[in-house]
Amino acid sequence: MMKTTLILIFTILFFTSCNEVVEYEQSLSDEELYPNYVKAIKNESTFQNFLVVKVKNLNNGEIREYCTKGNFLKGALHRELNLGYSKDGIIKVYKTAIENKERYFEFKNDSAIWNISAFDKYSMKELSEFENQIGIDSLIYRIENGKDWGITISNDKEMKMVAHSLFNKGILTGENSCFGGMLTLDKSE
């Protein structure tokens, strides 16, 4: 039911703006995405930003992108580096995250990997198919042209796929961790 509702909403968004659809690049460079990544890392509020990182699982050699919140990435680094939450541990994790301009990490610790991937149960092929299904370029067009946008998505997988797609196109989104469920544009400067 929720999937049908989500598809209907995106279909409506697509048809309301399809006469001005622009094809967007597949994804932006690491350099172009880095400012949004840093903003997500620095964010300490209950409104957490989504970011996308590339992770190599050292246990099986798999390398893939994950969409997660900035605080979840920092938590994964705490686990992987075996650092507590002392002032020194927090500073080391923060610096490790911020200094990683390529957004590439290698994790061996299963709990670190789980920390960023617990709700990320989709493949890159599924993500691509989802982008086509919802008309991601039309959604981006609406956002970039000042159309107000926010959507309640109770399915974590679908929320992460939308956030993942938008992040890779240079659009920072987030979710209020206190209330949850509403994927919203980050309009703060």
Side-chain angles (χ1 to χ4, degrees):
M1 176 69 172
M2 180 50 103
K3 186 174 184 178
T4 304
T5 304
L6 181 63
I7 292 168
L8 178 62
I9 290 168
F10 282 113
T11 302
I12 292 168
L13 289 173
F14 174 79
F15 285 117
T16 58
S17 62
C18 66
N19 51 347
E20 298 187 60
V21 171
V22 178
E23 288 294 321
Y24 289 87
E25 294 179 34
Q26 187 65 8
S27 61
L28 301 175
S29 70
D30 288 330
E31 185 177 306
E32 293 168 306
L33 295 174
Y34 181 71
N36 281 345
Y37 167 78
V38 168
K39 191 172 184 178
I41 294 296
K42 289 182 174 181
N43 184 348
E44 296 293 333
S45 76
T46 56
F47 179 84
Q48 281 291 303
N49 299 111
F50 286 101
L51 55 80
V52 174
V53 291
K54 188 176 284 186
V55 173
K56 179 175 185 178
N57 181 332
L58 295 174
N59 299 310
N60 62 18
E62 178 188 49
I63 299 173
R64 65 160 287 177
E65 286 187 352
Y66 287 99
C67 180
T68 191
K69 294 178 184 174
N71 59 343
F72 288 0
L73 175 62
K74 290 183 283 188
L77 289 169
H78 276 282
R79 292 167 188 238
E80 183 66 26
L81 300 173
N82 198 25
L83 295 171
Y85 286 85
S86 67
K87 181 179 179 182
D88 289 341
I90 291 169
I91 290 169
K92 181 158 177 61
V93 162
Y94 178 81
K95 287 178 86 172
T96 299
I98 293 294
E99 291 172 358
N100 190 329
K101 294 185 183 210
E102 293 78 32
R103 299 173 297 109
Y104 173 81
F105 297 91
E106 294 183 347
F107 291 125
K108 183 167 185 70
N109 184 316
D110 287 332
S111 70
I113 296 166
W114 182 88
N115 209 68
I116 60 166
S117 67
F119 301 108
D120 233 345
K121 304 298 182 199
Y122 57 90
S123 68
M124 296 301 98
K125 181 180 179 198
E126 283 180 280
L127 178 63
S128 178
E129 290 169 357
F130 182 76
E131 288 175 340
N132 291 333
Q133 181 181 16
I134 66 169
I136 196 71
D137 289 341
S138 294
L139 178 58
I140 292 167
Y141 179 84
R142 288 183 54 81
I143 292 167
E144 289 182 343
N145 285 284
K147 307 281 193 253
D148 229 4
W149 181 82
I151 187 167
T152 301
I153 305 173
S154 61
N155 180 310
D156 285 331
K157 178 181 174 180
E158 290 177 356
M159 181 183 292
K160 291 283 264 309
M161 288 196 296
V162 172
H164 191 148
S165 298
L166 292 177
F167 184 90
N168 282 346
K169 305 289 188 175
I171 298 170
L172 190 61
T173 61
E175 176 187 26
N176 187 322
S177 295
C178 286
F179 302 108
M182 179 78 144
L183 184 65
T184 309
L185 292 176
D186 183 334
K187 295 181 182 178
S188 63
E189 292 303 314

